[in-house]
Amino acid sequence: MANRTVKDAHSIHGTNPQYLVEKIIRTRIYDSRYWKEECFALSAELLVDKAMALRSIGGVYGGNIKPTAFLCLVLKMLQIQPEKDIIIEFIKQDEFKYVRCLGAFYLRLVYASLDCYKYLEPLLNDYRKLRLMDRSGQYQLSHVDEFIDHLLREERFCDIILPRIQKRWVHEANNELEARVSLLDDDLDDLESESDDEELLPPPRPRSHPPEPSRNAARDDRHGRGHSPSRRSPQRDSRIDREREKRHHSRSRSRERDRGMERERGMDRSRGMDRDRGMDYGRGMDRDRGLDYGRGMERERVMEYGRGMDRDRGMDHNRGLDRERGMERGMERERGMERERKRHRSRSRERRHRSRSPGHHHHRERSGRGVEKEREHRHEREHGKDRNRDRDRDRKEKHHRTGRSKRETHGGMTREEMEIAEANALRARLGMAPLQP
């Protein structure tokens, strides 16, 4: 609550008055001891006593950024927002110079450029000394006119960014302000008039010539004896006035010409700076676009290369797996056919051995004729079946031999051997053990 702006305060330059002080400096002021002890519950009337007790001006100082009492009172004035009449009374104060500086600083922060020129330019004739505290905490010698000149010309003073104000020549062009006349111009006019009077005086008379009464009277008039306004010649006065007016007009014209040239130089410089900023900004944008485009193209190339490598690895792996599965199926099929051949051979061999054994003939002799015939028929049927099996087996072997002959290659290797060689090469690249031929 103690750090908030008053409820009926008006916004300054479109924002809260306290926001004219930067946040970090504003926070340091809130945490300072002077703000908590001396600036608590201050009003516009009590603020005068605190301003009269000031002994220096300045912003922040020290390594831990401590605010000065002058800066704390400026923030307090922004918080309570005193009336304009009180600020003008601060500025018109001749006895207390630090009160005048406080009012001038607040006026520069809050009010428009026309008020700043109107109320602050007369203070340029105040040459009293001031104590200014720098960032290291040391006091430096300054003057009131230097303080006012910094307020009117600088962009940042006492560690606070000053709001921008309109140039003086703009107000002069709009007939809002008259041309400023410095006190030094009057002193220069007095010096020039004295030099002109010395030139108009007659040369000194030589000592050899006798004194003339008319010249003695003129010398008496020059030295003040018998001086009267009626004795001065009107032609001389008119000539002096004309020459003075001529010098004044020539000086004013040269001054206006210098101001116009300075104004044109400032405008040309500002246009050149804006043009350079625009060109630098455009170059920076083009350079950033080129870098982003190059990075994107490089990233896409890397991703495409990675996808291609993964795709090739997957295809090679799948081809190797399919080739291994086909080889294993062929080998299993050949083993099964070989087992079937061995089984048929063993069965036929047993049947032939059984038919040639003596017990078989003895049993046939002992059996009856019907039983013998039935055995013969059964034997014939079994023999016919064996013949059919042998015929089928021979046909399959012949077909298998013809298929193997068709699969032979020009290099003298069969397709199976070539597949086994390719599988062994692939397994060697993958770090696996080779297949047995």
Side-chain angles (χ1 to χ4, degrees):
M1 293 297 293
N3 299 334
R4 291 184 181 178
T5 310
V6 294
K7 294 182 179 180
D8 55 348
H10 301 285
S11 62
I12 304 300
H13 302 295
T15 184
N16 191 336
Q18 291 195 81
Y19 292 169
L20 296 176
V21 182
E22 297 178 3
K23 180 175 176 56
I24 180 116
I25 298 178
R26 192 167 65 246
T27 306
R28 295 292 183 178
I29 293 173
Y30 292 155
D31 295 337
S32 65
R33 183 175 180 180
Y34 184 86
W35 175 267
K36 295 178 180 179
E37 293 182 357
E38 304 294 336
C39 298
F40 180 77
L42 274 182
S43 61
E45 293 79 8
L46 299 175
L47 185 66
V48 179
D49 299 333
K50 301 297 180 182
M52 292 170 61
L54 287 176
R55 292 295 176 266
S56 65
I57 61 174
V60 295
Y61 65 93
N64 53 356
I65 309 180
K66 294 181 181 180
T68 58
F70 179 81
L71 199 59
C72 294
L73 292 180
V74 170
L75 183 61
K76 193 64 181 181
M77 292 177 70
L78 292 173
Q79 181 183 1
I80 63 178
Q81 204 173 42
E83 298 180 359
K84 187 175 181 180
D85 297 334
I86 299 176
I87 304 302
I88 295 173
E89 290 297 329
F90 278 18
I91 294 173
K92 292 181 178 180
Q93 183 62 244
D94 294 332
E95 184 177 358
F96 299 97
K97 52 188 177 182
Y98 293 106
V99 176
R100 171 176 284 186
C101 293
L102 183 64
F105 197 88
Y106 178 78
L107 181 74
R108 176 65 179 83
L109 287 177
V110 173
Y111 292 98
S113 59
L114 190 61
D115 293 330
C116 293
Y117 289 115
K118 181 179 178 181
Y119 293 106
L120 296 184
E121 280 188 346
L123 302 182
L124 292 172
N125 300 324
D126 191 353
Y127 307 114
R128 287 180 292 181
K129 297 180 181 179
L130 294 175
R131 284 195 295 179
L132 176 65
M133 182 176 288
D134 56 7
R135 292 299 296 267
S136 61
Q138 302 295 327
Y139 287 109
Q140 303 291 337
L141 179 63
S142 181
H143 299 82
V144 178
D145 59 332
E146 294 180 11
F147 179 80
I148 300 300
D149 186 70
H150 286 310
L151 291 181
L152 293 177
R153 296 178 182 274
E154 300 294 333
E155 296 181 357
R156 187 183 185 92
F157 189 58
C158 291
D159 298 305
I160 293 180
I161 299 176
L162 302 175
R164 292 187 178 181
I165 58 175
Q166 192 64 266
K167 299 296 183 182
R168 182 182 173 81
W169 61 267
V170 177
H171 294 293
E172 292 179 2
N174 296 332
N175 295 325
E176 296 176 350
L177 287 175
E178 296 181 357
R180 181 175 176 271
V181 179
S182 177
L183 295 178
L184 299 177
D185 294 337
D186 297 336
D187 296 339
L188 292 175
D189 291 339
D190 295 338
L191 292 174
E192 289 177 359
S193 62
E194 292 178 359
S195 63
D196 294 337
D197 293 340
E198 291 178 357
E199 290 176 359
L200 293 174
L201 292 175
R205 184 179 57 84
R207 294 182 180 272
S208 60
H209 293 182
E212 297 179 358
S214 60
R215 293 185 179 180
N216 290 334
R219 187 172 61 235
D220 294 339
D221 292 339
R222 283 195 303 272
H223 286 284
R225 292 192 294 270
H227 175 74
S228 64
S230 61
R231 292 185 180 182
R232 184 176 298 174
S233 62
Q235 292 83 4
R236 176 188 170 190
D237 294 338
S238 62
R239 187 172 63 254
I240 292 173
D241 293 337
R242 283 196 302 273
E243 290 178 357
R244 187 176 298 170
E245 290 179 359
K246 190 184 295 183
R247 284 193 301 273
H248 180 71
H249 288 308
S250 63
R251 192 183 302 113
S252 62
R253 282 196 297 270
S254 62
R255 194 180 298 120
E256 290 176 358
R257 185 167 57 254
D258 295 339
R259 287 174 185 161
M261 294 176 66
E262 290 177 358
R263 184 161 58 250
E264 290 178 358
R265 291 194 199 100
M267 294 175 67
D268 295 338
R269 193 181 301 113
S270 62
R271 292 194 196 101
M273 291 175 68
D274 295 338
R275 184 167 58 253
D276 294 339
R277 291 194 195 101
M279 294 174 67
D280 294 338
Y281 180 74
R283 294 192 196 102
M285 292 290 288
D286 296 337
R287 184 163 55 252
D288 294 339
R289 291 195 195 100
L291 290 172
D292 295 338
Y293 181 74
R295 295 193 193 102
M297 292 291 291
E298 189 67 25
R299 193 182 303 113
E300 289 181 0
R301 291 195 197 99
V302 172
M303 293 175 67
E304 289 293 336
Y305 182 74
R307 294 194 197 101
M309 293 289 291
D310 295 339
R311 194 184 305 113
D312 294 340
R313 292 194 195 98
M315 293 175 65
D316 294 338
H317 184 67
N318 293 332
R319 290 195 194 107
L321 290 176
D322 294 339
R323 194 177 295 113
E324 289 179 3
R325 293 193 192 103
M327 293 172 63
E328 290 176 358
R329 292 194 195 98
M331 293 175 69
E332 289 290 338
R333 189 162 50 250
E334 289 181 359
R335 293 192 194 100
M337 292 174 68
E338 187 67 26
R339 284 195 299 269
E340 190 69 22
R341 284 193 217 102
K342 288 181 181 180
R343 192 179 301 113
H344 286 299
R345 288 172 188 162
S346 62
R347 287 177 183 173
S348 62
R349 194 179 298 112
E350 288 177 359
R351 282 194 296 271
R352 286 194 297 272
H353 181 70
R354 192 183 304 115
S355 62
R356 294 173 185 175
S357 62
H360 179 71
H361 293 286
H362 179 73
H363 179 70
R364 186 174 56 182
E365 289 176 0
R366 284 187 304 163
S367 60
R369 181 174 292 181
V371 176
E372 186 177 354
K373 288 182 179 181
E374 185 178 355
R375 289 178 179 174
E376 289 179 358
H377 288 300
R378 188 183 300 117
H379 180 70
E380 289 178 359
R381 285 197 299 272
E382 291 179 357
H383 188 65
K385 291 179 181 180
D386 292 336
R387 284 199 302 269
N388 291 334
R389 290 193 190 97
D390 294 336
R391 194 182 301 111
D392 293 336
R393 185 174 64 252
D394 295 338
R395 192 183 297 112
K396 288 180 181 180
E397 289 179 356
K398 183 179 179 180
H399 179 71
H400 183 65
R401 285 195 301 271
T402 56
R404 289 187 61 184
S405 63
K406 289 180 181 179
R407 289 195 301 268
E408 290 180 356
T409 59
H410 296 285
M413 296 176 64
T414 61
R415 180 176 293 181
E416 294 178 358
E417 292 176 353
M418 291 177 65
E419 290 179 355
I420 292 172
E422 291 179 359
N424 289 334
L426 179 61
R427 292 173 71 90
R429 284 198 300 271
L430 297 177
M432 300 173 61
L435 297 174
Q436 295 295 331

Coordinates of all heavy atoms in Angstrom, one line a residue, residues 63 89 92 125 141 225 257 264 317 338 389 419:
G63 N 28.4 -0.5 -5.3 CA 28.3 -1.8 -6.0 C 26.9 -2.5 -5.9 O 26.5 -3.2 -6.8
E89 N 6.6 26.8 -7.7 CA 7.2 27.5 -6.5 C 8.6 26.8 -6.2 O 9.5 27.5 -5.7 CB 6.2 27.4 -5.3 CG 5.0 28.2 -5.4 CD 5.3 29.7 -5.5 OE1 6.3 30.1 -4.9 OE2 4.6 30.4 -6.2
K92 N 11.0 28.5 -8.6 CA 11.3 29.9 -8.4 C 12.0 30.1 -7.1 O 12.3 31.3 -6.7 CB 10.0 30.7 -8.4 CG 9.3 30.7 -9.7 CD 8.0 31.5 -9.6 CE 7.3 31.6 -11.0 NZ 6.1 32.4 -10.9
N125 N 20.6 30.9 -16.1 CA 21.4 32.1 -15.6 C 21.8 31.9 -14.1 O 22.3 32.8 -13.6 CB 20.5 33.3 -15.8 CG 20.2 33.6 -17.2 OD1 21.0 33.4 -18.1 ND2 19.0 34.1 -17.4
L141 N 31.9 18.3 -8.5 CA 31.5 19.7 -8.5 C 30.7 19.9 -9.8 O 31.1 19.6 -10.9 CB 32.7 20.7 -8.4 CG 32.3 22.2 -8.5 CD1 31.4 22.5 -7.3 CD2 33.6 23.0 -8.5
R225 N 33.3 67.4 -18.5 CA 33.1 68.7 -18.0 C 32.2 69.5 -19.0 O 32.5 69.6 -20.2 CB 34.5 69.4 -17.9 CG 35.3 68.8 -16.8 CD 36.5 69.7 -16.5 NE 37.4 69.8 -17.6 CZ 38.4 69.0 -17.8 NH1 38.6 68.0 -16.9 NH2 39.2 69.1 -18.9
R257 N 20.8 31.8 -39.9 CA 21.4 31.0 -40.9 C 22.1 29.8 -40.3 O 22.0 28.7 -40.8 CB 22.3 31.8 -41.8 CG 22.9 31.1 -43.0 CD 23.6 32.0 -44.0 NE 24.6 32.8 -43.3 CZ 24.6 34.1 -43.1 NH1 23.4 34.7 -43.3 NH2 25.6 34.7 -42.5
E264 N 19.3 21.5 -40.7 CA 19.4 20.7 -41.9 C 20.4 19.6 -41.7 O 20.2 18.4 -42.1 CB 19.8 21.6 -43.1 CG 18.7 22.5 -43.6 CD 19.2 23.4 -44.7 OE1 20.3 23.2 -45.1 OE2 18.4 24.2 -45.2
H317 N 18.8 -57.3 -45.0 CA 18.5 -58.2 -43.9 C 17.3 -59.2 -44.3 O 17.4 -60.4 -44.1 CB 18.1 -57.5 -42.7 CG 17.9 -58.3 -41.5 ND1 18.9 -59.1 -40.9 CD2 16.7 -58.6 -40.8 CE1 18.4 -59.8 -39.8 NE2 17.1 -59.5 -39.8
E338 N 15.5 -88.4 -48.7 CA 16.6 -89.5 -48.5 C 16.1 -90.5 -47.4 O 16.3 -91.7 -47.6 CB 17.9 -88.8 -48.0 CG 19.0 -89.7 -47.9 CD 19.5 -90.2 -49.3 OE1 19.2 -89.5 -50.3 OE2 20.0 -91.3 -49.3
R389 N 5.5 -98.7 -55.9 CA 6.3 -97.8 -55.1 C 7.7 -97.5 -55.7 O 8.2 -96.4 -55.8 CB 6.5 -98.3 -53.7 CG 5.2 -98.3 -52.9 CD 5.5 -98.5 -51.4 NE 4.3 -98.8 -50.6 CZ 3.9 -100.0 -50.3 NH1 4.6 -101.1 -50.7 NH2 2.8 -100.1 -49.6
E419 N 23.4 -70.2 -53.7 CA 22.7 -69.6 -52.6 C 23.4 -69.8 -51.2 O 23.4 -68.9 -50.4 CB 21.3 -70.2 -52.5 CG 20.4 -69.8 -53.7 CD 19.0 -70.5 -53.6 OE1 18.8 -71.3 -52.7 OE2 18.1 -70.2 -54.4

